């Protein structure tokens, strides 16, 4: 274990910082450590609730590997690392009533103004983080695929659903053929069966990941349909089946997580797709005139 005081001071003490640290270091981790780290980010509740033995069995490693991972990340032991997951669980499982009480306790004299500024700050932090980390070449490659698709399938559930709802509106206005996979009568699995490799999909899901979004995206990927994913981690199951994916780590205020960065991305994609198609049509028209 590293006893350097300066290194100890840099050990992540919240889940978002830990997640970022693992993602940054994953390429240089030994195989077994990377395996259990991926399991931890994909199954944070199991890490919070489980014992060393049960977690090791679930992640298919020896119990000593959990201790090695904790030391590798700078923690004193596995229980120290596990405390980060338990704290995350405590924050995430607050009921909406409890979150409102937390807001009331922290709001001070001007409750409304502090609440508004808190959400604005979280939105700003999310957008700034995306601006600093998004890769323009990934965006370009994603737009290339989506602009060439005959039909774009849109997959998102629960908190992520507003992203596809907005894209449905934008695609309709831009005359882009699309299909939102969100049927009121439960035929979503049948809807995705119509997709072919000539189509493409945009899927969004964040931890805790929506099982239906994951299964539908995996089914499309297995059938050769390109999937563009919007998710929160390199270890996300959605990233694993995507042709290209965007990492969007949204900030939160009092447990209420922002969608600001994700929405900015899903506003940009339809416009970029429409513009790419317009340029291609003009290029074809120009070639036809020359002939």
């Amino acid at each position: 274990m590293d006893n350097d005081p300066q290194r100890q001071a840099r050990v992540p003490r919240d889940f978002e910082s830990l997640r970022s640290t693992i993602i940054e270091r994953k390429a240089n981790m030994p195989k077994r450590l990377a395996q259990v780290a991926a399991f931890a980010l994909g199954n944070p509740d199991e890490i919070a609730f489980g014992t060393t033995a049960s977690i090791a069995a679930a992640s298919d490693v020896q119990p000593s590997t959990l201790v090695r991972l904790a030391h590798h990340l700078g923690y004193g032991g596995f229980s120290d690392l596990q405390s980060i997951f338990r704290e995350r669980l405590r924050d995430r499982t607050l009921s909406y009533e409890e979150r409102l009480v937390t807001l009331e306790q922290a709001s001070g004299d001007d409750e409304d103004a502090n609440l508004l500024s808190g959400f604005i700050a979280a939105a700003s932090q999310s957008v700034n983080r995306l601006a600093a980390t998004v890769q323009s070449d990934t965006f370009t490659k994603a737009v290339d695929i989506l602009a060439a698709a005959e039909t774009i399938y849109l997959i998102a559930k629960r908190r992520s659903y507003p992203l596809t709802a907005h894209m449905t509106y934008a695609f309709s206005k831009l005359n882009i053929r699309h299909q939102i996979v969100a049927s009121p009568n439960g035929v979503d699995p049948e809807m995705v069966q119509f997709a072919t490799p000539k189509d493409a999909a945009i899927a969004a899901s964040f931890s805790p990941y929506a099982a239906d979004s994951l299964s539908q995206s995996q089914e499309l990927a297995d059938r050769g349909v390109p999937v563009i994913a919007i998710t929160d981690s390199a270890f996300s199951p959605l990233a694993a089946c995507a042709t290209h994916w965007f990492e969007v780590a949204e900030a939160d205020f009092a447990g209420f997580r922002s969608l600001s960065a994700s929405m900015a991305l899903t506003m940009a994609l339809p416009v970029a797709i429409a513009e790419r198609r317009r340029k291609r049509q003009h290029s074809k028209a120009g070639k036809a005139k020359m002939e």
Side-chain angles (χ1 to χ4, degrees), residues 155-157 203-205 209-218 238 241:
I155 300 172
K157 314 297 180 189
S205 189
Y209 307 103
D212 287 347
S213 294
L214 298 181
S215 62
Q216 291 160 12
S217 299
Q218 186 63 60
L238 192 57
C241 68

Side-chain angles (χ1 to χ4, degrees), residues 135-151:
Q135 297 181 347
S136 58
D137 61 332
T138 300
F139 186 80
T140 297
K141 291 174 183 177
V143 171
D144 284 339
I145 290 172
L146 295 166
E150 291 183 355
T151 301

Side-chain angles (χ1 to χ4, degrees), residues 168-209:
T168 294
Y169 175 82
F171 283 144
S172 298
K173 291 295 185 180
L174 294 166
N175 296 317
I176 295 173
R177 183 184 297 173
H178 64 283
Q179 175 63 62
I180 186 169
V181 184
S183 60
N185 55 356
V187 295
D188 290 7
E190 288 76 9
M191 292 170 68
V192 299
Q193 289 179 3
F194 289 103
T196 75
K198 293 182 179 181
D199 302 317
I202 300 174
S205 189
F206 307 93
S207 179
Y209 307 103

Side-chain angles (χ1 to χ4, degrees), residues 88-100 102 254-255:
R88 166 201 171 272
L89 187 64
R90 185 193 69 79
D91 292 341
R92 184 172 65 82
T93 55
L94 287 175
S95 69
Y96 277 87
E97 180 63 29
E98 289 170 325
R99 295 179 195 184
L100 292 174
T102 300

Side-chain angles (χ1 to χ4, degrees), residues 221-244:
D222 290 343
R223 296 214 315 272
V225 180
V227 176
I228 306 302
I230 302 171
T231 189
D232 55 2
S233 168
F235 293 121
S236 163
L238 192 57
C241 68
T243 309
H244 298 292

